[in-house]
Amino acid sequence: MASPDVDCPWLCAAGESFSGCFNIQIEVQPANVLNVLEAPASSESDTRNIPKPPPYPTKTSKTANHCQRITDSCSVPKETKDTWERLFKEADGADVYVITDSNSYIPAHCNVLSIASPVLGNILQQSKVKNGIRYIKILGVPCEAVYTFIRFLYSSCYEEDEMKTFVLHLLVLSHSYSVPSLKRVCIDLLEQELLTKENVIDVLQLARRCDAPRLSFICVRMVVKDLKSVSSTEGWKVMRRCNPALEQELVESVVEADSRKQEKLRKIEERKVYLELYEAMEALLHICRDGCRTIGPRDKMLKGSLVACNFPACKGLESLVRHFSNCKTRVPGGCVHCKRMWQLLELHSRMCNEPDLCKVPLCRHFKVKMQQQTKKDEAKWKLLVSKVIAAKNALGPFSARRIDLF
């Protein structure tokens, strides 16, 4: 009886479909997950019934962090890796042959493969033994990629050039045979170094099939960032022909990202307007209540003892107030500048909580006028007031007044 075959035809020759090429079939079920044994809890108790004092919090925290760092950065000694490397390369006592394309084979050890990969372990259990040797097939990927894969199962070692050359094949193998450590290496290498505009479409499809959501997200983000360049690659052309649904999804992602960007810019510009109105309200109150002493004719310099006003809108309001006081028209709608001043005065009135004590002109007048407005106009003004107050609150109590949000 022949041993089970694992066929994984590979990617994208120029005219082939990615989804059609990616066809890994494993006819056996994965090995059962081993149960984790729990150590029994200690039953010792203090005969004197006096609790022990807890350790200092700082020491406990440092110890925990130190242990975590040791766990995260733990590495196998070089001598141990060399031993496993020699076992793999010399194949002393090998009892399984891994057959690859071109009828090449790689000698290995059944116990090592079974421990390193539960899928391979299951396949080896169901394979027949002939003259003390088991035979399994890993087809559809280059022989060198299979060699690098088996080597990694022994010592977790690899040559950097080989890893970069066969990273996509190794990602398929690591996912198919459930080797998460190798899968992480492949994903990290693709994310940090090897992802390009030319291969991003192939990597995206592969990432989705190999359950690598973060890599998939990074690929989509690269496509969205530069659709024009990516859409001119060979991978995109093959994908358009063989997987039009994915093309539609990516185009929709680009449109959605552009809409979000435009909406963000619109909100930034809108917030700038509300902040400017808030600054104008502060400056108007400052001018009418305190009397800004640095406002004067534009052709005169400030005296040496005076400093510039802290209210950035003061100088702009100065010209508007001067015009409003001298304008002959002064009819709302008749003069653009006067209309703007009327609106600022009404906005202040709607935000003012002390109209009887307020020194801003017409504050009480607009309070009375509010009662005569239609519900539609009232709703518009309430919305504007809420936006200005929200922009004010967004600055925070300790934030410097500023308009530039970029």
Side-chain angles (χ1 to χ4, degrees):
M1 179 178 178
S3 59
D5 296 347
V6 181
D7 298 331
C8 46
W10 189 239
L11 279 181
C12 285
E16 295 181 345
S17 163
F18 179 89
S19 57
C21 295
F22 190 96
N23 183 21
I24 297 178
Q25 297 179 355
I26 301 176
E27 299 179 358
V28 295
Q29 298 296 326
N32 295 330
V33 179
L34 297 178
N35 295 326
V36 179
L37 299 178
E38 297 182 356
S42 175
S43 60
E44 295 181 1
S45 60
D46 194 344
T47 56
R48 294 179 297 174
N49 199 24
I50 301 177
K52 295 181 180 180
Y56 292 104
T58 54
K59 291 185 178 180
T60 302
S61 176
K62 290 180 179 180
T63 303
N65 292 336
H66 179 66
C67 293
Q68 183 65 33
R69 285 196 299 270
I70 291 178
T71 303
D72 294 340
S73 63
C74 182
S75 59
V76 179
K78 183 177 182 301
E79 292 78 7
T80 304
K81 289 185 177 182
D82 291 342
T83 300
W84 286 101
E85 282 275 282
R86 188 172 64 180
L87 177 64
F88 167 68
K89 293 179 179 179
E90 295 179 359
D92 187 21
D95 55 358
V96 58
Y97 284 166
V98 180
I99 301 175
T100 66
D101 285 343
S102 303
N103 292 324
S104 301
Y105 68 90
I106 302 172
H109 300 81
C110 183
N111 288 337
V112 176
L113 300 187
S114 299
I115 294 174
S117 168
V119 177
L120 283 176
N122 199 15
I123 293 174
L124 288 167
Q125 286 180 4
Q126 299 185 25
S127 63
K128 295 293 184 179
V129 181
K130 184 178 180 181
N131 296 329
I133 300 295
R134 298 178 184 270
Y135 295 87
I136 61 174
K137 295 181 180 180
I138 300 181
L139 305 176
V141 295
C143 177
E144 295 85 352
V146 180
Y147 181 88
T148 304
F149 172 68
I150 301 298
R151 177 189 177 190
F152 189 91
L153 298 183
Y154 274 78
S155 61
S156 297
C157 294
Y158 55 86
E159 299 297 332
E160 186 173 351
D161 293 341
E162 293 178 353
M163 178 61 70
K164 290 182 178 180
T165 303
F166 303 110
V167 61
L168 297 181
H169 304 84
L170 293 172
L171 178 58
V172 173
L173 293 173
S174 64
H175 176 73
S176 302
Y177 295 103
S178 187
V179 186
S181 56
L182 177 58
K183 187 175 181 179
R184 286 194 297 269
V185 172
C186 296
I187 291 175
D188 290 343
L189 192 60
L190 285 167
E191 291 177 355
Q192 298 173 12
E193 297 183 35
L194 302 183
L195 191 61
T196 64
K197 296 174 183 178
E198 285 70 27
N199 68 9
V200 64
I201 296 299
D202 288 339
V203 175
L204 170 60
Q205 297 176 85
L206 186 60
R208 292 189 172 183
R209 292 180 177 271
C210 293
D211 190 23
R214 188 180 66 181
L215 179 59
S216 176
F217 173 78
I218 292 175
C219 291
V220 172
R221 187 172 61 182
M222 178 179 286
V223 173
V224 170
K225 187 176 181 180
D226 193 1
L227 177 64
K228 184 177 180 180
S229 299
V230 174
S231 61
S232 63
T233 62
E234 188 65 25
W236 180 278
K237 296 176 183 177
V238 174
M239 180 265 296
R240 173 187 293 174
R241 197 166 54 245
C242 304
N243 193 355
L246 179 58
E247 181 192 19
Q248 180 66 23
E249 178 187 341
L250 292 175
V251 172
E252 290 176 356
S253 298
V254 173
V255 174
E256 182 181 354
D258 186 65
S259 299
R260 287 198 303 266
K261 182 179 179 181
Q262 296 298 327
E263 180 66 15
K264 182 179 179 181
L265 293 176
R266 185 189 67 79
K267 288 184 177 180
I268 290 177
E269 292 297 326
E270 184 180 81
R271 187 182 174 196
K272 285 179 65 176
V273 172
Y274 295 136
L275 283 175
E276 288 171 356
L277 287 174
Y278 166 63
E279 295 284 353
M281 293 301 99
E282 276 197 328
L284 181 63
L285 186 61
H286 162 65
I287 292 171
C288 299
R289 182 186 59 192
D290 305 328
C292 183
R293 298 184 178 181
T294 61
I295 290 181
R298 296 180 179 273
D299 56 345
K300 291 186 178 180
M301 300 295 293
L302 293 177
K303 296 180 180 180
S305 60
L306 297 178
V307 295
C309 182
N310 292 327
F311 294 85
C314 256
K315 199 65 179 175
L317 269 181
E318 173 200 6
S319 59
L320 194 60
V321 170
R322 288 173 182 271
H323 170 84
F324 183 73
S325 62
N326 297 321
C327 182
K328 302 299 182 181
T329 307
R330 200 183 294 183
V331 177
C335 175
V336 176
H337 302 292
C338 288
K339 180 180 179 180
R340 187 176 303 168
M341 190 65 198
W342 279 98
Q343 291 172 339
L344 290 176
L345 292 173
E346 184 170 357
L347 178 59
H348 162 79
S349 177
R350 289 179 175 274
M351 297 178 64
C352 182
N353 296 322
E354 299 179 343
D356 294 333
L357 302 177
C358 184
K359 295 184 178 182
V360 176
L362 303 176
C363 184
R364 292 187 61 188
H365 166 76
F366 283 110
K367 287 289 186 183
V368 175
K369 184 181 176 182
M370 292 178 199
Q371 303 174 2
Q372 303 172 0
Q373 286 185 329
T374 63
K375 291 183 178 180
K376 183 178 180 180
D377 291 337
E378 184 70 15
K380 290 181 179 179
W381 278 105
K382 284 185 177 180
L383 179 61
L384 178 60
V385 170
S386 65
K387 295 285 188 180
V388 173
I389 293 176
K392 169 189 173 182
N393 294 335
L395 289 176
F398 303 107
S399 300
R401 298 184 185 91
R402 59 187 180 87
I403 298 300
D404 188 10
L405 301 180
F406 294 99

